[in-house]
């Protein structure tokens, strides 16, 4: 397997950071040294990895001396402040924030789709948005076989995408409503000084801030990232992102138009059966289709409800589900690290 690596996890106490640790352990990722980093506020906490306790340290530039791979998931401001410092000290940064995703010199990588882009990094590799990742994993085999010219996606996203505090708020609000008690809506839909709305028993058609074009930043991330990952700047993509009162697991209703008119739903299903990272769950007669409750804790992308559009001969509809903390974040990051090792790039 080669030498073990010196790995740093930045944001180790957060929802994604903890999943990164769990995934590294489950994958038995070969490392000689592990350092857990966080903000000053979370420093001093203890976390366990392979039965051994680690004390979380405050992330500072000097933390990255000797580090081979640094997995970042502590927010964009932390990545902007420390990622280049880590690279200066010889580390390859795999960043889970939006800080570098659209930088033209930073590859935006989903290994099942564009692993070859890892050959062209300058020290930083960006992990795409969770919703983008699961969608492109499902659509890439279709694009390769039949072409792709349009995507219209509506997402139904879990609150864990907004962090551990948002999940706690969902639980607290749900308990309060069921017990007819008052509560404050503090976190949803975005952590800012804007309005916040009840998430329990509700659907919020806003994730992140609105842009001048009427789309939210989350929607624009899906649009721009999909084009970059697939190397298709001309691809037509539109997104509507909605937060639902689900703890973990993002779902997406996706409409696509391909280049050919002679393709059947069965052709699409047959492709997806053998697609890397995809599990097809599609049997209407048995009411078999993907659901977020079933995807929690699993690294795959689940696809079902594949059907041909009734009006457009080149149009198809799909339902795509994945654990947003795993394939949408932690697993994709660790998978990138595994690819770097396999390609002898670290």
């Amino acid at each position: 397997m080669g030498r073990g690596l010196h790995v740093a996890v930045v944001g180790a106490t957060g929802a994604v950071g903890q999943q990164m640790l769990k995934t590294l352990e489950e994958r038995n990722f070969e490392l000689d040294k592990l350092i857990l980093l966080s903000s000053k506020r979370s420093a001093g906490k203890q976390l366990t990895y392979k039965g051994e306790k680690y004390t979380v340290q405050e992330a500072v530039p000097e933390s990255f001396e000797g580090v081979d791979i640094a997995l970042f998931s502590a927010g964009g401001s932390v990545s902007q402040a420390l990622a280049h410092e880590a690279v200066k000290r010889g580390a390859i940064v795999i960043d889970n924030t939006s800080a570098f995703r659209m930088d033209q010199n930073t590859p935006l990588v989903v290994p099942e789709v564009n692993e070859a882009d890892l050959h062209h990094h300058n020290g930083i590799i960006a992990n795409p948005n969770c919703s983008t990742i699961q969608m492109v994993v499902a659509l890439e085999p279709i694009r390769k076989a039949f072409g792709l010219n349009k995507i219209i996606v509506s997402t139904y996203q879990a609150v864990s995408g907004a962090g551990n505090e948002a999940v706690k708020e969902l639980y607290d609000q749900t308990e309060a409503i069921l017990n007819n008690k008052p509560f404050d809506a503090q976190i949803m839909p975005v952590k800012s000084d804007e309005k916040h709305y009840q998430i329990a028993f509700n659907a919020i058609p806003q994730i992140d801030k609105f842009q001048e074009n009427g789309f939210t930043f989350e929607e624009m991330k899906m649009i721009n990232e999909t084009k970059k990952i697939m190397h298709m700047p001309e691809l037509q993509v539109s997104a509507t992102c909605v937060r639902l009162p689900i703890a973990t697991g993002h779902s997406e209703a996706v409409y696509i138009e391909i280049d050919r008119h002679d393709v059947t739903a069965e052709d699409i299903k047959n492709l997806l059966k053998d697609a890397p990272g995809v599990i097809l769950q599609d049997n209407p007669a048995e009411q078999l289709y993907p659901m977020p409750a079933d995807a929690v804790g699993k690294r795959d992308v689940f696809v079902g409800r594949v059907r041909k559009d009734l009006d457009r001969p080149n149009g198809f509809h799909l339902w795509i589900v994945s654990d947003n903390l795993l394939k949408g974040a932690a697993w994709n990051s660790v998978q990138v690290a595994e690819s770097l090792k396999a390609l002898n790039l670290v």
Side-chain angles (χ1 to χ4, degrees):
M1 293 272 306
R3 71 183 181 94
L5 299 175
H6 182 175
V7 175
V9 177
V10 186
T13 61
V16 173
Q18 290 178 40
Q19 287 290 345
M20 284 177 172
L21 281 175
K22 185 178 178 183
T23 304
L24 285 168
E25 185 169 342
E26 288 176 348
R27 297 292 295 176
N28 198 27
F29 189 86
E30 192 173 4
L31 53 86
D32 285 337
K33 186 175 180 182
L34 176 67
I35 182 171
L36 306 185
L37 302 170
S38 71
S39 65
K40 187 175 184 178
R41 182 180 47 128
S42 297
K45 290 184 178 179
Q46 286 202 323
L47 297 174
T48 301
Y49 178 79
K50 289 192 172 180
E52 185 178 341
K53 288 194 179 298
Y54 289 78
T55 300
V56 180
Q57 303 173 33
E58 180 184 359
V60 294
E62 292 72 27
S63 302
F64 301 97
E65 296 289 349
V67 169
D68 296 303
I69 292 178
L71 303 171
F72 271 69
S73 188
S77 60
V78 174
S79 294
Q80 287 170 338
L82 291 175
H84 287 294
E85 294 292 338
V87 172
K88 274 186 205 174
R89 289 162 173 81
I92 297 175
V93 170
I94 302 171
D95 183 52
N96 199 56
T97 76
S98 61
F100 305 104
R101 288 176 185 161
M102 297 314 298
D103 176 66
Q104 63 180 0
N105 296 314
T106 302
L108 184 65
V109 177
V110 179
E112 294 91 343
V113 180
N114 62 331
E115 184 183 58
D117 288 358
L118 292 174
H119 289 281
H120 309 294
H121 74 81
N122 291 309
I124 300 175
I125 298 155
N127 209 47
N129 177 270
C130 46
S131 298
T132 306
I133 290 173
Q134 67 185 67
M135 184 175 74
V136 297
V137 167
L139 296 187
E140 175 63 8
I142 300 171
R143 184 197 70 80
K144 286 170 70 175
F146 305 127
L148 184 65
N149 58 67
K150 180 182 282 189
I151 303 170
I152 300 174
V153 54
S154 297
T155 72
Y156 309 88
Q157 295 181 219
V159 295
S160 56
N164 285 331
E165 290 180 351
V167 176
K168 183 179 184 301
E169 181 178 358
L170 170 63
Y171 292 159
D172 289 347
Q173 286 184 13
T174 302
E175 183 179 3
I177 291 169
L178 291 173
N179 289 285
N180 200 28
K181 292 180 180 178
F183 63 89
D184 292 323
Q186 297 174 339
I187 294 173
M188 293 309 200
V190 288
K191 296 178 181 178
S192 71
D193 56 0
E194 297 177 359
K195 288 182 181 178
H196 298 285
Y197 295 105
Q198 169 188 325
I199 182 59
F201 305 100
N202 199 11
I204 301 172
Q206 177 189 359
I207 300 177
D208 220 312
K209 297 184 178 182
F210 282 104
Q211 310 298 290
E212 289 184 3
N213 61 8
F215 287 78
T216 65
F217 187 47
E218 181 84 357
E219 291 158 355
M220 292 309 301
K221 281 190 281 190
M222 289 198 75
I223 292 166
N224 293 325
E225 291 174 19
T226 300
K227 295 179 180 185
K228 180 175 178 178
I229 294 164
M230 290 184 161
H231 300 287
M232 294 183 70
E234 75 286 356
L235 182 63
Q236 298 177 45
V237 187
S238 185
T240 301
C241 296
V242 181
R243 189 77 76 189
L244 291 190
I246 296 168
T248 305
H250 287 357
S251 303
E252 299 171 346
V254 181
Y255 169 77
I256 61 170
E257 292 184 0
I258 60 175
D259 293 342
R260 287 171 48 178
H261 289 207
D262 60 341
V263 176
T264 67
E266 285 304 311
D267 293 331
I268 301 288
K269 292 179 189 179
N270 287 331
L271 264 184
L272 294 173
K273 281 177 188 173
D274 301 317
V278 173
I279 291 181
L280 182 69
Q281 294 181 327
D282 196 326
N283 187 347
E286 299 294 331
Q287 292 180 262
L288 177 65
Y289 34 70
M291 293 181 287
D294 297 330
V296 174
K298 298 170 184 171
R299 293 190 290 265
D300 301 290
V301 173
F302 299 86
V303 185
R305 299 294 318 278
V306 179
R307 59 208 187 275
K308 193 158 188 169
D309 189 71
L310 298 178
D311 299 304
R312 304 283 294 179
N314 63 330
F316 290 86
H317 300 266
L318 306 91
W319 177 251
I320 303 170
V321 174
S322 191
D323 184 325
N324 55 295
L325 299 179
L326 283 176
K327 183 53 184 168
W331 165 227
N332 199 77
S333 296
V334 173
Q335 201 176 1
V336 168
E338 290 184 356
S339 292
L340 287 171
K341 286 195 73 174
L343 294 168
N344 294 315
L345 295 174
V346 65

